[in-house]
Amino acid sequence: MINEVIKKNGITYGVMIGIASALVTATIYAVDLNLFTAWWMGIIGIVISLTISIILLSKTKKELKGVFSFKDAFTTYFIAAVIGILISTTFNIILFNVIDPGAKDTLSEIMIKYTVNMMQKFGTPASAINEAVAKMKESSPYSTIELLKGSVFAIVISAIFGLIFAAFFKSKSTQE
């Protein structure tokens, strides 16, 4: 059975992470679709998520009076991460497949231009660039299936971060 503090905080902060992610996506969508290729926007998203996660684990450890096992720390983080990812993915599916399906095509073109530009900067041969563009035109990264696949990948990456955070936030007395 999961401790009520862990469950409550994991759910609450997971919703916060999901809403923050949806707000970042909505802001980028409203301001300029080209921002989806800006590396610094990705960094902002990661920083927001990690900051909320650190606050979550610190608060939960404090509420548990400092008795925070590795398993409890991981569980707290993982609940929040999965809920955040599910909210964010659901928002993206609705935005790009229901509200504005045309944005998917626009974003695909933006991503192709960005990729071609980067590959040219690195001196990639034209044949490799053409091959990459052909592959990109075959896929639709904002389709429901691709967004769901991305969410599975995000959950795996979150589990790795969860292990690291759990090792850092666990109580010192639980090391034995």
Side-chain angles (χ1 to χ4, degrees):
M1 191 74 187
I2 297 176
N3 180 304
E4 284 304 313
V5 171
I6 290 169
K7 191 184 331 180
K8 176 184 67 79
N9 287 351
I11 292 169
T12 301
Y13 281 78
V15 170
M16 288 171 57
I17 291 169
I19 289 171
S21 177
L23 286 174
V24 168
T25 300
T27 302
I28 293 170
Y29 171 82
V31 172
D32 183 4
L33 291 177
N34 287 299
L35 291 174
F36 279 104
T37 61
W39 63 269
W40 53 271
M41 287 304 295
I43 299 296
I44 288 172
I46 291 169
V47 167
I48 290 169
S49 181
L50 292 178
T51 301
I52 293 171
S53 298
I54 290 168
I55 293 167
L56 159 67
L57 293 171
S58 297
K59 179 182 182 204
T60 305
K61 185 174 183 177
K62 187 176 180 181
E63 288 180 16
L64 294 174
K65 313 261 189 278
V67 180
F68 206 26
S69 70
F70 180 87
K71 179 185 176 205
D72 287 347
F74 177 80
T75 301
T76 305
Y77 175 85
F78 195 69
I79 289 170
V82 169
I83 290 172
I85 290 165
L86 292 177
I87 290 171
S88 176
T89 301
T90 301
F91 177 80
N92 288 341
I93 289 169
I94 292 169
L95 177 62
F96 295 116
N97 293 282
V98 177
I99 296 172
D100 188 2
K104 285 191 295 194
D105 298 330
T106 304
L107 276 171
S108 290
E109 288 303 315
I110 290 169
M111 295 292 197
I112 289 169
K113 287 177 187 172
Y114 176 78
T115 302
V116 167
N117 188 23
M118 290 302 291
M119 291 176 87
Q120 287 173 339
K121 283 182 182 177
F122 288 113
T124 307
S127 61
I129 293 173
N130 292 337
E131 186 179 321
V133 168
K135 284 183 182 176
M136 289 179 78
K137 285 184 177 180
E138 289 174 11
S139 70
S140 179
Y142 293 94
S143 71
T144 300
I145 297 297
E146 291 302 318
L147 288 169
L148 290 172
K149 284 182 191 174
S151 69
V152 171
F153 178 74
I155 289 170
V156 170
I157 296 300
S158 292
I160 294 167
F161 274 103
L163 294 170
I164 294 166
F165 277 133
F168 183 77
F169 280 93
K170 71 180 180 177
S171 303
K172 300 302 179 217
S173 61
T174 62
Q175 289 179 346
E176 298 169 18

